[in-house]
Amino acid sequence: MGSEADTAEITGPLLAGERAAAGPEPVPSWREQVTVRGIAVSAVLGVLFCLITHKLNLTVGIIPSLNVAAGLLGYFLVRTWTAALERFGIVSRPFTKQENTVIQTCVVACYGLAFSGGFGSYMLAMDQRTYELIGTDYPGNRAVDVKNPSLGWMIGFMFVVSFLGLFSLVALRKVMVIDYKLTYPSGTATAMLINSFHTTTGAELADKQVSCLGKYLSISFLWNCFKWFFSGVGDSCGFDNFPSLGLAAFKNTFYFDFSPTYIGCGLICPHIVNCSTLLGAIISWGFLWPYISTKAGEWYPANLGNNDFKGLYGYKVFISVSVILGDGLYNLIKIIYATIKEIMNARSKQGRLPLVGVQDDDEGSKLSAAEKHLNETFVKDSIPPWLAGSGYVGLAAISTATVPMIFPQLKWYLVLSAYIVAPLLAFCNSYGTGLTDWNLASTYGKIGLFIFASWVGQNGGVIAGLAACGVMMSIVSTAADLMQDFKTGYLTLSSPRSMFVSQLIGTALGCVIAPLTFWLYWTAFDIGNPDGMFKAPYAVIFREMSILGVEGFSALPQHCLAICSGFFVAALVINLLRDVTPKNVSKFIPIPMAMAIPFYIGAYFAIDMFVGTVILFVWERVNRKECDDFAGAVASGLICGDGIWTVPSAILSIMRIDPPICMYFKPSS
């Protein structure tokens, strides 16, 4: 998932006019933009960002956009590298903004596979633990539909499905970036940051931002180290289970768990996303689940376990799924409609979509030369259409032959049919990401899951649906990330060819790094334990959706389908209200997708994110400029420090070294 942002109106080529008077800015050749040190830095950051993404995937499932953090940390590491060499009298080649952009692109391609690879969702939904959690006697949940994680098949699957998304839309990069002038908010923000680093006016600010990031990274790391000493053995010890709002609220998951990661997410995500998660937590854990709990013995058997789908657990999973599907379906239909409408309008307006404000004043005239330079640079190192087409066809042929070897339930003709429709869905997702910053890859994956699970039916439909979800998610997610990065490259005068090569290298790195970093979690922690730290909430949700695709709705507890239908319609209505009301009203209407997450997971992370948004809100009121300059660095530092701590924590767990103290709380009487 990405964070939602309002579509920004761009009234001229961003950051392009700075050198207009002095003539076009010199641009290094595309080969000079891809460097050995850049690839080395990308690999280091790829490991860190994969660890962060896995942790978020296995705990709450909300992945903020880390593009800006990748650009900032790439600058920090290369600057540290060159400064260290200078101390030894070794002069390094200049560090350009194009090289910085290529590093950021490579890192995003790498850690993107930690999300689209399904290590916290469809891939984990196939394992034995998830099968047992749902229940061995649950209708449609069969022991034969189990495939446990293994490094061999996970890396192989990554390699055969992850590259197709890069070739599916690369030929349309000019249409999306120059002709349609799509905003791609995260990509634009990253370009602004990188450009500011590599100007004389931005150098001082860049140093301060890097210093700020390092400070909060250290604080986050040391805080996690401190917390570890009190976390004991088991899942009830430590600051992660601190009943900060009282023991009664703690039982309903309302507590602050002192997580730097979620506070950092609150600083990055828009206020409406954070407030929506808190509202969802209040509705579900404050009212809905306590009410349904009173119906035990009436709506469902009273003696069921906490994770039995025939009881309260079933309501939690399916109501959250219904809200997610309602939100995803609405946005999918809206994006397809907008895409068709704008393409039809473009034909009558000589191919120019009215997504950008046009300047008729003198300032606009001054910028025209710079915009022309941006366009010429972006078009110059073109990637031949025949290469994109033959690459997609060739990779699709290889994948069609090999995916059924990994998942025999997914026949070759099913894989082929997925690859035929995938470019259209990839275009819709990339277009939607360009407008809203929402990457709806998981929604397209869920649609593929339902279709293929029902197509295959009882004999293997569960695994076939989950595997098809993976094929679909990989293509549409990678294509959207590629276009986001092309927008960054366009605004930083980076060659599309160097960006594409960087994407290929980053994807190759991700195919190895993402499974290896997941394996670190898998071997060190109790993944999937609903009472543990790494609940992997989406694993159960995705397996349930696949079973539902095969079995239908007959196994749900009483009134569950009616309540789900109500929440599904509510998600559609809320989205419609967000679109039809004036902007000064719609900005206060919650986002159903964000509201749905705490329905299943709990309220604690929503409270952490709300703390982050309150800090950001107060900071904006006290000193807006300082907030704009440093909020991203603070958030990145908090998230990265938490991510780095994962490595020593996992090593301690693998070596069976337990924390010395268990801090827990109980009533005084």
Side-chain angles (χ1 to χ4, degrees), residues 260-321:
T261 292
Y262 304 143
I263 295 172
C265 288
L267 286 166
I268 288 180
C269 291
H271 293 304
I272 189 62
V273 172
N274 301 314
C275 293
S276 297
T277 58
L278 183 64
L279 179 61
I282 293 170
I283 291 171
S284 55
W285 292 91
F287 297 100
L288 189 59
W289 305 151
Y291 173 74
I292 294 178
S293 297
T294 64
K295 300 297 182 180
E298 184 181 344
W299 287 9
Y300 59 92
N303 57 348
L304 297 177
N306 291 334
N307 304 306
D308 196 315
F309 274 87
K310 295 176 182 175
L312 181 62
Y313 193 65
Y315 293 97
K316 291 179 183 178
V317 171
F318 283 103
I319 291 174
S320 60
V321 168

Side-chain angles (χ1 to χ4, degrees), residues 324-446:
I324 290 170
L325 287 178
D327 186 286
L329 184 64
Y330 180 90
N331 281 287
L332 177 63
I333 293 171
K334 184 178 79 171
I335 287 168
I336 291 173
Y337 170 75
T339 304
I340 294 172
K341 182 180 177 182
E342 296 290 2
I343 290 173
M344 297 300 290
N345 289 343
R347 289 181 176 176
S348 61
K349 297 179 182 180
Q350 286 92 33
R352 186 178 181 88
L353 295 193
L355 296 176
V356 177
V358 179
Q359 288 185 332
D360 294 320
D361 56 10
D362 292 336
E363 185 184 355
S365 302
K366 291 177 186 176
L367 290 174
S368 60
E371 183 174 10
K372 185 178 179 182
H373 184 45
L374 284 173
N375 294 347
E376 287 174 351
T377 303
F378 192 69
V379 173
K380 184 179 66 173
D381 289 330
S382 63
I383 298 149
W386 66 264
L387 177 63
S390 59
Y392 186 83
V393 171
L395 288 169
I398 294 170
S399 186
T400 301
T402 51
V403 168
M405 297 179 187
I406 303 171
F407 301 106
Q409 298 90 338
L410 194 64
K411 306 300 182 186
W412 68 268
Y413 53 87
L414 299 176
V415 182
L416 181 62
S417 59
Y419 287 142
I420 291 172
V421 299
L424 172 62
L425 300 180
F427 175 81
C428 292
N429 190 41
S430 297
Y431 188 91
T433 305
L435 291 173
T436 66
D437 220 25
W438 267 115
N439 186 339
L440 294 177
S442 60
T443 301
Y444 291 95
K446 292 182 190 96

Side-chain angles (χ1 to χ4, degrees), residues 657-668:
I657 299 175
D658 297 321
I661 303 169
C662 173
M663 181 180 72
Y664 71 99
F665 300 84
K666 64 179 182 179
S668 58

Side-chain angles (χ1 to χ4, degrees), residues 14-15 83 105 126 176 238 262 307 311 490 504 513 554 576:
L14 292 179
L15 307 163
T105 300
M126 304 177 188
M176 304 288 265
Y262 304 143
N307 304 306
Y490 170 77
L504 289 172
I513 292 173
S554 59
L576 185 62

Side-chain angles (χ1 to χ4, degrees), residues 147-164:
K147 189 175 183 66
N148 286 309
S150 163
L151 272 179
W153 73 258
M154 287 193 302
I155 292 175
F157 183 67
M158 291 280 92
F159 269 105
V160 296
V161 302
S162 299
F163 288 91
L164 278 99

